[in-house]
Each structure stands twice: as structure tokens, then as C-alpha cells.
Amino acid sequence: MTLSVTGLTKVYGAGDTAVRALDGVSVTFGQGRFTAIMGPSGSGKSTLMHCAAGLDTVTGGSVLLNDQDLTKLSDTALTRLRRTRIGFVFQSFNLLPTLTAKQNILLPLELAGAKPDPRWMTTVIDTLGLADRLGHVPSQLSGGQQQRVACARAMLPRPDVIFADEPTGNLDSRTGHELLEFLRRSVRELGQTIVMVTHDPHAAAYADRVVLLADGRIVDDIENPTADAVLGRLRTLGV
Amino acid sequence: MWRFTFASLTKHARRLVATTMAVVLGVGFTAGTLIFGDTAQAGFDETFARTAKNVDVVVLAGDHPLTAEQLRAVSGVGDVDHAEGRMAASLPMLGSSGRPLLNNGRSGYAVSVAEDESLRGFDLDGHAPAAGEALLDLETAAHEHLSIGQRIQVLDKSGAIQSYTISGLVDFGVSKKYSGLSVVGLPQAEITRLTGESGLEEIVVRARPGTDQNELAQRVRSALADGVTVKTGAQRRTDLANEATSVATQFTFILLIFGVISLVVAIFVIYNTFAILLAQRVRETALLRCIGATRRQIFGATLLESAAIGLIGGAFGVLAGIGISYGLPLLLNNALHSGVPDHPVVVRAAPVLIGLTLGVVATMAAAAIPALRATRTRPLAALRDVPSAATTSRRSKVVRAIVALAAGAVGVFITVRGGQTDDSETATFIVVGGGVVVFLGVLAASPLFIGRLTALVGLPAGRLAGPPGRVAVANARRNPGRTAVTTASLMIGVGLMAMFSMLLGSIKETAKDQLSSHYPADYMVAAVRDGKTGEPGRIPMAYADQLKGHKELATVATIRSAKANVDGKVLHLGAIDHPELLPQLPGGLTDGAIVVDDKQPDPNLPSLRTLAAADTTIPGAGRFDGIVTWSQLEKLAGPGDGSLVLVKAASGVSPVESREILDRVGLAYPLTVVNSVADLSSGLETAVNGLLGLFAGLLGTTVLISLFGIANTLSLSVIERTRESATLRALGLTRGQLRGMLLAEALLMGLVGALVGIVFGLVYAPLVLQAALRDVVPVIVTPWDWLAGLVLLAAAASCLAAVLPARRAARGAIVAAMADR
Ligand SMILES: Nc1ncnc2c1ncn2[C@@H]1O[C@H](COP(=O)(O)OP(=O)(O)OP(=O)(O)O)[C@@H](O)[C@H]1O
Ligand SMILES: [Mg+2]
């Protein structure tokens, strides 16, 4: 699997009020790697993620997932692709309130009309410690549990890549670290590719690599980051 | 708070469109009915009062017709400028087929045309008839496609055909007297020549200018003997207008019932809108409370908002009502031949004010409970996330169940009592009342069962459509209260439609059953009834004898009715020359014996042997005090002709063949009408279908309002679930699937509402029928075709209601929707 973004440009609005959220971003997310995207607020992190995940249209450039250009696909084709090849974890969980945890987890696969691999399912559920919570609806779960359900939902179809936009933003630090620990394990042990947007240098330290954005451009790329190193670089950007 | 109300109104304007539409329709129907009532009233007034135009004094005949001497006496009274006698006599007119034109077996009228133009009781298009000319009423002319200059034929008292050229057309409007009958206008002398009658119906008087009507009436009264009524022209016009009122109010009353039903449905929709809107606005409301708004202010602001909507909806409703008032006469005249006269629409202040008031009051009443609930919002709620699924406490569920059970029990009790009541009219009324109470119970209970029912009905959706189907079912279930109120409005409309279709269908089948089991013959040849008196005429014996000569006709039975004095009692007796034909006389009848009416006390006749007490009804002739043999009746009442001939075709003879024989023989006897049992059935069919169409049309508004309700609930839910929809899209739900999901949700609500309504209709229609038809065993038919049609209609319409919300939901970009909070 390779996901590479080339010359990506995204302009919101037109004329005087036009905002250039992304300005020629090129980056490749490698197989089995945990990449964090960081940068000041408004630097274009979410926009980059949305465009790379085929959730939003681009103004220019291309997004290649295994040599397939996502920017050229129709809405329906993109939607089908998202079902099994791309996973999402959102800051505010975004579980379906009417479905149980298990139904939520199975939703993307069912939409694709596929059956889950039972062994993989057991692995994911056990790793996330959700076995005794499967019959509950989201309102009966804590925030951390809800986010773990969201992770399981993203993992189960074994997508090519999982995008996570500030997944720990709504969690306390202990629960947040547990989640990050799980994400790192799924990369190390299960070979999952993850791209995560975060504001927290400690969260970024769980990743293999940090890409720094500012004003819609990539300004830095750090391998094997530590919290201090990241913090230092961010300071130089004036955050 | 004013500014806040205004801001929230304009901000949520789009969310309130469907609600306002519900108000518009509910008010529109009611206001339209009232406006139509005023218009019809004006029209009836005009046509009814027309006969008394220019009349200063009128003399009305009592038991006996007025005479020429009386006319002369009136003419001789001082200050009488001119007096004119008006005549009306029976005069059968022949249609294009050469048979008399009949309405309900009755032939038509001849009326005299006054020489004095201003004292004619009608407006004339054309000129007064000269020799060989006649006037004709508009309705008959239209029906027979006749116009001025064409020829018409009438039958004089000897049965000879007389022809006239039409010199003018007359509009009698809805005059009860002539309704549906042919009316020919002729000079008085010509009527006397044709019919042999010379008596006058009324004498109308024009006074000299400056004469007091009351004084003149007094003088006319003293110039005449007793036994006549003398009225002033003004009195007469008031009387006629009062007669008109009773005709007009009949229609308006029935229409108003439907108006009220649609208003009730509109209230459901309004209630639901406010309940949803305020639930969505909990944070906003809580924020207002945080910054110091009192409960009273919150309540006031919501009520103010509802009043504004009510006023706007009411205003548009009145406008819609004016439009509806144009359509109602068409609907009524087509379905019922109600003969509502054409009249320019009359818009009085009352319907406008009532419409506006209803709009405001209904909307405010509907919004009151949600508004009250909003005042209970705690300021703290502003800080919490809003729970997306409503949770109902156990206690409120128990309370609801108790209320529903109590209402159900009371309703069942009332219904049972109604079923035991003897008088069928009272019984029907009580059963319907019980039905209303039970229905209220069902409505109260519906939030408790609607979820499970939705799941059941939605089972195939989950199977067929996979996760989107299952999510749709779950969404439809997630706010049982909301779904219940949404479907309740549809329940009412569809339930009533189902009930009416079953009632009318069963009445039709019952009548057909009565026809086939009680009509021992294939044909019933009746003598034409007198246009004026309604008395049956005579059928010459030669007619029956001629029929008997045809071997294709197995039985030709003549029936005669006569009053006879038996043992000092005057009895209305019937005789039949083939007693074995009547089902109630399987063993026949012998001279000296009588079958008496089982509904009346035993007449105890020493001179006649009572054979049996039975139903003495003879089809086409009505019920008798007793039935005897032909020769027995001749002994009692003297010789005479029959008035009815029953004919049974021989086996193997086709209906076409037998009918042809009857028509051929009948040519020489114009004053007979051949009715076949098949004709009667098909006539019944048409009448019932007309009624069904009318009710469907009237209930259509109700169903339309409930569809606005579905669209409304759905679009508000869509707004509420923007983020959820976006999540689903992100996870791989295509646009089409999202649209389909919302259509499925609407479909579910529509189906559940329709099903509950239909079940209710199916349970209650037979009960009402049994209460209403006491004398006969009703044949209860379930109109599956109609019911299936209703379900399909509800399904299609609710999908239609979902189209706009679904499109709106699917249109949005995923990312933007996800950010929406
Ligand atoms: N729908 C939109 N319309 C117009 N401008 C937008 C829209 N979405 C984002 N922007 C602009 O694009 C730029 C990048 O936004 P983006 O959400 O990608 O930032 P971010 O790095 O995720 O910020 P944060 O850390 O606050 O989440 C910002 O200037 C923002 O104002
Ligand atoms: Mg962001």
C-alpha cells in the first residue's frame, strides 16, 4: 500500500474571501507507518486529511492510493472505496446513537456487503477490551470506550489506511494514552497504516514520523520524534 | 423577548414552512366551508325567493286548489293592480327515446306562464309561449340536449302525444318542488286542455304603487273564504329564504365536520413541530435561562412565535378557503347532484375572522404543551450535550398506559351500550361516539406500541436493504412520541377512509343482497307515478295479457293495491295473481285468506282467515296491511287495474332477449317503466361510488395535512441528524443509500399510520353497520381493493413527502456537515 499526495492545493471560497488552506502539499504515507500531522491551528491539517481520505474535493494536485487517483473518482466510487479501504477515527467519536457497539463496529463491512473475518474481529475487540461492551449503545459508554469502539470500527475492514483527526482531543490524558498505545500496537504488531492529526507533542511522540504544516505548506518532517523535539520545532513556528 | 422571537422566527423560517402549510390547509378547509355556506345560502336565497319577486300579496291554496272565482274576487279588491293565478299540474313529458322522463319513478309538471311579465315566478330566456309553443326547464333541456326552436312531446290525459316548439328556457334552480322533474311552461288554458285541471296553486298580487302590503293582505283575506293562507310578499320571501337556509345548512354542517377533522390533524402537526423544534433548541433555551430569562419569558416567547405562525397560516388559510369555496360546489354537485346554485363567491367578515381566530388559537393551543415543557429546561442544560434519543421515564409510560386503557375501556363500554340500544339512529350515534373514545385511547397508547410496530413492519427493510434499512428502522423508532404523533395524523385520515369505504361497500352489498333475495322477479314494470301527488298510476290488464303471450317469459304477475273496508277497518291491501312468486308466500294464497303484516298488531278480522303474519312488502309496491288473492280484492274493493307487474324470464332466455320483449310490448304503454334487478344494482353501484368519491375527496385534505406532517418531522429530524448522516457517508453510505434510508423511514411511518388506521376502520365499520341496519342482516364486505389502494397511496405519498428532506440531506458536503454542531 502506498498513499501519496502530490502538489495538493485546496482553496475555500473565491475572490476576496478565498482561503488557500493547502498550497501544493506533497507527502507520501508509507505502509505500516504511524504518521502524525502537526501544526498551528488553521494550518490545514484537517483539510489535508479530508482531501487525502477522499472526503473532500481538491482544487489541484492528486491523491494516489495504490496508483488509483482519488481525485478522479466519482462520489459513488469514492464512497465504496471508503467502506473497506479507508478507516476513520474522529475527535467526537461519531458513533451512530441508534446502533449498539457491535453494530457500529460492523457497519462499514455491512455497507460493503462483506463478512468480517471472525479471528480478526476477536483480535481487534480483545485488544481494545470491548468484549463485554458490545451490546451497549453509545450513550451507555464512556468517552474512552466510545473512541475505542470507533477505533474498532476503523480497524475491522483492515483498511489500507486509517485517518484519525485529534482522536484524543475529547479524552482525559490517561485514556488518551491508552488509545495512542493501542494505535501504536496496531501499527507495530498488525501492520496497520495510520495518519493522525494532533496538537499534542506527547501524542505525536507515539508516531514514527511527524509532518509539520504551516499556512498550508509542509515545513518540516521529523523521523522517530520525541515530545521535546517536536515541541522545539513547534516553538520555532511561533506556536 | 420580542426581538428574540422575531429573530428565531426568521432564522427557522424554513423549518416552519410545513407547519404553516398544515395551518393553512386546516384553516382553509374550515374557512372554505363557511364561505361556501354563505355563498350557497345567497344562491339558494336568490333562487328560492325568485318565485316571490315583485309580489306584494300572495294567496296560497289550502287543502283545495284555488278557483277562478277566488282569482276574480282578489282582482276586485281595491288597490290591486294585477292578480295572477299560478297553476301546476302533472304532465308527463317524453324523452328522446319516446318514454316519459322520470325522476324516482315520477313524471313531470306543467306550470302556467303568467301573461304579466313581472309576476312570473321565473326568469325567462326566450319568449313566452304562443300557440303551439312551450317553455322548458333548463335542467331537462341540458339533460335531453334540447334548445329553443326544437320540438318536445307531452302526454295528455288521454295518453295522446302532443307536440310543442320550445320558445324559451326557464331556470327553476333547486326548487324542491321541481327538483329533477321535467317542467313545461304553457298558458293556463292549454294546461287545462291537456290535463283537465283548472285549480290554482297560488294567486299572486301586484299592488298599486304606494299601497301598504299588510293592509292589502288584510283586505284580500277578508275578500276570501277561510281555508286559504294570505301572506305579504315580504313574508313569503322570508319563508322561502328560511326553507333555503335549511337546505344550505345541511351541506355546511357535514362539511364542517370534515373541516374540524382536518383542523385536529393540523394541530397534531403543529404540536409535533414545536415539540421537535424546542427539543432541538434546548441549548439555546438553556443559554437564555443562563443569562437571566425567566420561565415566563421563555413561555411567552414560544407562544408569541406560535401566534405569529397561526396568524400567517390563518391569513393564507382564509385565502385558500376562498379558493376551496369555488371547488366545493363542483365536488358536491358531481357526487351528490346536490344542485347548489351558481352564485358569485360571497366573502363575509365572519368566515375571515373565524379563520384567523382558528389559526391563531389552534396553533397556540398546539404549541402550549411543548412551550410549557421548554420552560422546565434547566440553565445547566446549556453545558450538557443534547441527548439525541428521547428517553421516557417509566412513570410517564405507566401513566400513559393507564390513561389509554381507561379511555379504551370507556370507549368499549359506550360501544357495547350502543350496540344494545334499540333505536338504530341512537345506536349508530352512540357506537360512533364510542369509536371516537376508543380511538383517543389508541392515540394515547400509540407511543407505547408504535416502536415495536415499526420494527415489525420494518423487518423486511432490514432484510432487504441491509444496514441502511436497519438504521432507517432504528431512526423511525428512536423518538416514539414523535413518530406516534406524526403517524397519528395519518391514522385519522386513512382510518376514516377505510371505515367509509367498508361502510359504503357493505351497505351496497347488503342492498344488493336484499335485491336478489327479495326480488322474486327479473323485471319490475311499474306504472309511472303522478308528478304532483306521487301516487302510482294504473297498468292496463291488456299489458300483462300481452306479456303472457310470450313463452320466453315464465311468469307475469300483476299486483294491485287498494284501500278496502274489511270488518269495519280500512286496510291498505295488496293482491297478486301469482302468490307463489312472493318468497313470503311459498305455499300460495287462497280466496278468503289473508297474510297480515307482522309489524302491526293482529288486525283480528272475523271475515278473513289469517294465514300467516309475515313481511307484507311487495318489491316496488311497498308494505301492505295485508296481502290477499286477486279475486278476494275484487270482492272487497271492486274491479280495478294493477299498478305493478313482476316478470320472470323462462330459464335459458338471455337478459337481452327478455328485455327486448318487454321494451317492444311497452311501446304501446308509455306510462310504464321497466326496471330490471340488474339496473337497480348498477344504479346503486353508481350512487355508492359517488359517495365514496366524495368522502375520499373530503378526507383528502386531512391526508394531505398529515403528509405535510411527515415531511415536517422528517426534515426536522434530518437537520437534527446532520452529523450522523455525514458520519454514515464517511463510512461508506452512498448518496443514493442515504436518500433511500430517509424514504424508508417515511415509508415506515406512512405504513404504520395507515395500517393502524385501517385496522381501526375494519373493527368499527361492522359495529356501526350493525347498529345502523337493525332490520336486515348486513352483508359485511371488506373492500380489499380500496384498502390495498389506501396502503399504496399512503406509502407513495409518504415517500413523496420524504423527497425534499432526503434530497437536502444527501446534498450536503460530508466535511461541512461533520463540523456542524
Ligand atoms: N469550509 C471552509 N470554508 C472556508 N474556509 C475553510 C473551510 N474549512 C477550513 N477553512 C479554512 O482553511 C484553513 C485550514 O483549515 P483546517 O481546518 O484544515 O485547519 P486545521 O489545521 O485543522 O486547524 P485546527 O487545528 O484548528 O483544527 C483555515 O484557515 C480555515 O479557516
Ligand atoms: Mg482541524
Side-chain angles (χ1 to χ4, degrees):
Chain A
M1 172 335 282
T2 50
L3 173 64
S4 59
V5 168
T6 323
L8 200 60
T9 311
K10 173 78 185 176
V11 180
Y12 287 110
D16 288 349
T17 57
V19 177
R20 194 166 268 270
L22 292 178
D23 192 5
V25 173
S26 298
V27 60
T28 298
F29 302 107
Q31 161 75 43
R33 301 262 295 166
F34 188 176
T35 311
I37 302 176
M38 296 197 73
S41 191
S43 56
K45 305 183 293 292
S46 297
T47 307
L48 171 61
M49 207 195 87
H50 291 148
C51 291
L55 280 179
D56 208 349
T57 54
V58 303
T59 311
S62 63
V63 179
L64 290 179
L65 178 65
N66 298 339
D67 302 328
Q68 190 171 26
D69 191 347
L70 301 193
T71 61
K72 300 263 182 320
L73 290 181
S74 73
D75 181 75
T76 308
L78 264 180
T79 305
R80 288 184 199 291
L81 182 119
R82 282 199 300 268
R83 287 173 182 168
T84 50
R85 310 252 315 264
I86 299 174
F88 292 97
V89 180
F90 304 97
Q91 177 176 356
S92 44
F93 322 141
N94 286 20
L95 299 177
L96 272 277
T98 51
L99 302 184
T100 61
K102 184 171 180 189
Q103 286 170 331
N104 263 296
I105 293 172
L106 288 172
L107 191 60
L109 273 179
E110 287 191 331
L111 283 172
K115 287 257 171 305
D117 170 357
R119 276 181 39 218
W120 176 239
M121 187 155 148
T122 318
T123 312
V124 170
I125 287 171
D126 287 349
T127 324
L128 285 162
L130 287 171
D132 54 345
R133 287 285 180 269
L134 291 178
H136 293 69
V137 289
S139 58
Q140 296 166 330
L141 300 173
S142 72
Q145 286 166 339
Q146 288 190 46
Q147 195 61 306
R148 278 186 274 150
V149 172
C151 282
R153 179 174 70 185
M155 299 278 302
L156 196 65
R158 291 186 199 257
D160 293 340
V161 53
I162 290 178
F163 289 99
D165 195 351
E166 301 184 41
T168 56
N170 278 344
L171 302 178
D172 65 41
S173 63
R174 200 175 66 91
T175 325
H177 283 293
E178 275 171 20
L179 189 88
L180 290 164
E181 187 54 48
F182 167 74
L183 289 181
R184 181 156 67 183
R185 269 179 57 203
S186 61
V187 172
R188 300 265 159 84
E189 297 167 20
L190 310 170
Q192 181 65 57
T193 310
I194 295 179
V195 179
M196 172 179 76
V197 170
T198 184
H199 278 289
D200 177 5
H202 294 281
Y206 281 83
D208 304 324
R209 169 192 177 199
V210 169
V211 175
L212 270 178
L213 271 181
D215 289 334
R217 290 200 194 89
I218 294 183
V219 291
D220 212 338
D221 201 330
I222 312 161
E223 289 288 330
N224 299 320
T226 62
D228 289 340
V230 172
L231 206 56
R233 295 291 175 87
L234 279 173
R235 288 245 168 76
T236 63
L237 290 173
V239 177
Chain B
M1 266 345 245
W2 281 94
R3 196 173 314 149
F4 171 72
T5 303
F6 183 70
S8 105
L9 261 180
T10 43
K11 182 177 148 213
H12 297 303
R14 257 178 75 174
R15 302 184 186 187
L16 292 170
V17 169
T19 322
T20 315
M21 277 310 290
V23 184
V24 169
L25 283 175
V27 169
F29 197 125
T30 315
T33 302
L34 293 172
I35 295 172
F36 160 76
D38 286 345
T39 306
Q41 178 71 59
F44 280 122
D45 272 359
E46 214 164 78
T47 49
F48 272 54
R50 178 64 192 85
T51 54
K53 193 174 165 188
N54 299 331
V55 172
D56 291 312
V57 171
V58 60
V59 184
L60 299 169
D63 292 337
H64 303 287
L66 300 164
T67 61
E69 285 95 78
Q70 283 171 310
L71 175 58
R72 268 196 296 281
V74 173
S75 302
V77 174
D79 285 340
V80 169
D81 183 30
H82 183 72
E84 187 86 43
R86 284 184 186 166
M87 221 180 141
S90 298
L91 184 71
M93 175 183 156
L94 301 183
S96 51
S97 61
R99 311 294 303 176
L101 294 172
L102 300 178
N103 184 3
N104 243 332
R106 286 170 70 162
S107 59
Y109 263 99
V111 297
S112 60
V113 180
E115 281 151 30
D116 187 306
E117 214 170 298
S118 73
L119 280 181
R120 277 180 202 144
F122 44 77
D123 292 318
L124 175 58
D125 174 18
H127 64 88
E133 289 183 331
L135 303 179
L136 183 62
D137 73 284
L138 261 181
E139 207 183 325
T140 309
H143 189 260
E144 290 290 304
H145 309 291
L146 289 169
S147 53
I148 295 177
Q150 286 179 292
R151 309 275 296 167
I152 56 168
Q153 295 181 319
V154 297
L155 279 183
D156 69 13
K157 61 176 184 287
S158 68
I161 298 176
Q162 308 275 350
S163 304
Y164 295 92
T165 306
I166 303 173
S167 71
L169 297 176
V170 176
D171 187 0
F172 285 106
V174 279
S175 157
K176 249 193 209 155
K177 190 159 148 192
Y178 306 128
S179 168
L181 300 176
S182 62
V183 187
V184 176
L186 288 166
Q188 207 166 308
E190 188 67 10
I191 297 179
T192 307
R193 190 180 75 79
L194 288 172
T195 64
E197 287 183 39
S198 58
L200 303 172
E201 291 266 295
E202 55 182 5
I203 296 170
V204 289
V205 173
R206 188 180 59 233
R208 287 212 171 81
T211 313
D212 180 61
Q213 283 194 353
N214 284 312
E215 226 173 89
L216 186 61
Q218 195 53 50
R219 263 183 278 155
V220 169
R221 203 169 288 134
S222 45
L224 295 171
D226 285 349
V228 298
T229 316
V230 180
K231 288 190 168 172
T232 64
Q235 271 172 346
R236 179 73 180 142
R237 281 185 285 274
T238 316
D239 289 352
L240 290 169
N242 284 343
E243 243 177 87
T245 309
S246 65
V247 177
T249 39
Q250 274 169 14
F251 291 124
T252 351
F253 181 70
I254 296 175
L255 287 176
L256 270 183
I257 294 180
F258 286 94
V260 168
I261 294 174
S262 56
L263 210 56
V264 167
V265 172
I267 287 180
F268 276 93
V269 175
I270 302 163
Y271 165 84
N272 222 12
T273 311
F274 274 93
I276 301 173
L277 276 182
L278 289 171
Q280 289 176 356
R281 270 194 237 156
V282 163
R283 276 164 157 274
E284 216 171 295
T285 313
L287 215 61
L288 281 173
R289 296 273 285 127
C290 273
I291 59 173
T294 63
R295 298 195 161 184
R296 186 185 292 253
Q297 277 172 318
I298 300 279
F299 187 69
T302 311
L303 274 199
L304 200 63
E305 198 174 339
S306 68
I309 293 172
L311 199 63
I312 295 170
F316 280 101
V318 170
L319 287 182
I322 295 176
I324 289 171
S325 71
Y326 277 96
L328 279 175
L330 298 178
L331 188 68
L332 284 175
N333 286 347
N334 277 339
L336 292 183
H337 306 288
S338 57
V340 176
D342 273 340
H343 194 277
V345 166
V346 178
V347 182
R348 290 195 214 287
V352 175
L353 289 180
I354 292 175
L356 288 176
T357 314
L358 277 181
V360 173
V361 171
T363 315
M364 284 175 76
I369 295 178
L372 212 59
R373 209 179 291 148
T375 61
R376 289 202 222 112
T377 312
R378 286 169 206 289
L380 264 182
L383 312 173
R384 269 207 321 257
D385 228 0
V386 191
S388 59
T391 46
T392 329
S393 74
R394 217 185 150 69
R395 223 189 79 206
S396 76
K397 273 188 191 173
V398 170
V399 169
R400 183 175 282 284
I402 290 172
V403 168
L405 273 180
V410 169
V412 168
F413 177 74
I414 296 176
T415 309
V416 171
R417 283 305 288 270
Q420 290 162 349
T421 308
D422 282 330
D423 177 48
S424 76
E425 212 166 299
T426 326
T428 315
F429 195 70
I430 298 178
V431 168
V432 169
V436 172
V437 178
V438 171
F439 194 71
L440 290 179
V442 173
L443 286 188
S446 63
L448 301 176
F449 67 78
I450 211 89
R452 242 158 262 166
L453 192 62
T454 308
L456 197 70
V457 175
L459 220 52
R463 289 273 156 72
L464 293 176
R470 242 173 293 141
V471 175
V473 176
N475 279 340
R477 294 190 58 171
R478 82 205 252 183
N479 281 307
R482 197 184 282 187
T483 311
V485 178
T486 309
T487 51
S489 54
L490 197 63
M491 255 178 232
I492 297 176
V494 173
L496 285 175
M497 276 199 192
M499 183 150 141
F500 277 122
S501 67
M502 188 165 178
L503 273 181
L504 291 173
S506 299
I507 288 173
K508 180 170 77 183
E509 284 311 312
T510 307
K512 276 190 180 172
D513 178 64
Q514 294 282 317
L515 276 182
S516 60
S517 65
H518 286 68
Y519 275 55
D522 302 320
Y523 300 97
M524 229 174 56
V525 187
V528 168
R529 292 193 293 137
D530 188 276
K532 197 168 160 185
T533 62
E535 288 290 322
R538 299 273 148 216
I539 296 185
M541 290 309 276
Y543 174 76
D545 291 340
Q546 226 171 318
L547 287 183
K548 281 175 186 155
H550 291 271
K551 66 176 185 315
E552 291 90 343
L553 307 178
T555 318
V556 178
T558 312
I559 287 150
R560 177 188 169 198
S561 64
K563 290 227 165 25
N565 197 320
V566 188
D567 299 329
K569 298 185 182 81
V570 177
L571 296 179
H572 178 50
L573 292 181
I576 178 164
D577 57 358
H578 281 272
E580 72 284 355
L581 198 64
L582 296 185
Q584 60 266 57
L585 307 173
L589 200 60
T590 48
D591 287 354
I594 183 171
V595 172
V596 297
D597 186 358
D598 58 359
K599 277 279 164 82
Q600 288 183 13
D602 187 356
N604 195 9
L605 306 166
S607 69
L608 286 173
R609 184 167 50 86
T610 302
L611 198 65
D615 180 2
T616 50
T617 307
I618 296 179
R623 206 174 184 113
F624 293 96
D625 294 331
I627 300 177
V628 293
T629 59
W630 191 271
S631 49
Q632 185 65 47
L633 190 61
E634 283 191 329
K635 253 184 249 160
L636 292 167
D641 283 333
S643 56
L644 185 74
V645 173
L646 300 180
V647 179
K648 205 178 166 117
S651 59
V653 175
S654 75
V656 180
E657 236 176 306
S658 52
R659 178 81 202 212
E660 203 258 334
I661 292 171
L662 282 165
D663 284 344
R664 189 145 36 84
V665 173
L667 276 182
Y669 303 90
L671 288 179
T672 57
V673 217
V674 178
N675 286 313
S676 71
V677 172
D679 285 346
L680 291 176
S681 295
S682 73
L684 205 67
E685 186 102 31
T686 325
V688 167
N689 288 345
L691 271 181
L692 259 179
L694 177 69
F695 283 127
L698 293 178
L699 289 169
T701 326
T702 313
V703 173
L704 195 64
I705 295 176
S706 49
L707 293 179
F708 274 108
I710 292 184
N712 193 34
T713 304
L714 213 58
S715 48
L716 292 178
S717 301
V718 162
I719 294 170
E720 203 171 59
R721 297 190 218 129
T722 307
R723 249 156 57 87
E724 261 170 71
S725 302
T727 306
L728 278 166
R729 292 270 293 119
L731 293 179
L733 196 75
T734 61
R735 283 211 162 99
Q737 279 176 315
L738 183 61
R739 277 194 295 262
M741 213 175 85
L742 288 163
L743 287 190
E745 191 181 338
L747 188 66
L748 270 177
M749 287 198 278
L751 282 181
V752 166
L755 286 180
V756 176
I758 284 176
V759 166
F760 188 82
L762 290 191
V763 170
Y764 257 87
L767 296 178
V768 172
L769 212 59
Q770 263 152 8
L773 302 176
R774 276 296 153 85
D775 292 342
V776 295
V777 184
V779 182
I780 291 165
V781 289
T782 314
W784 293 116
D785 47 346
W786 257 84
L787 299 183
L790 275 178
V791 173
L792 282 182
L793 187 82
S798 40
C799 283
L800 198 69
V803 165
L804 277 183
R807 285 182 51 147
R808 206 175 303 151
R811 202 172 41 207
I814 303 171
V815 176
M818 208 98 84
D820 186 271
R821 291 236 72 185

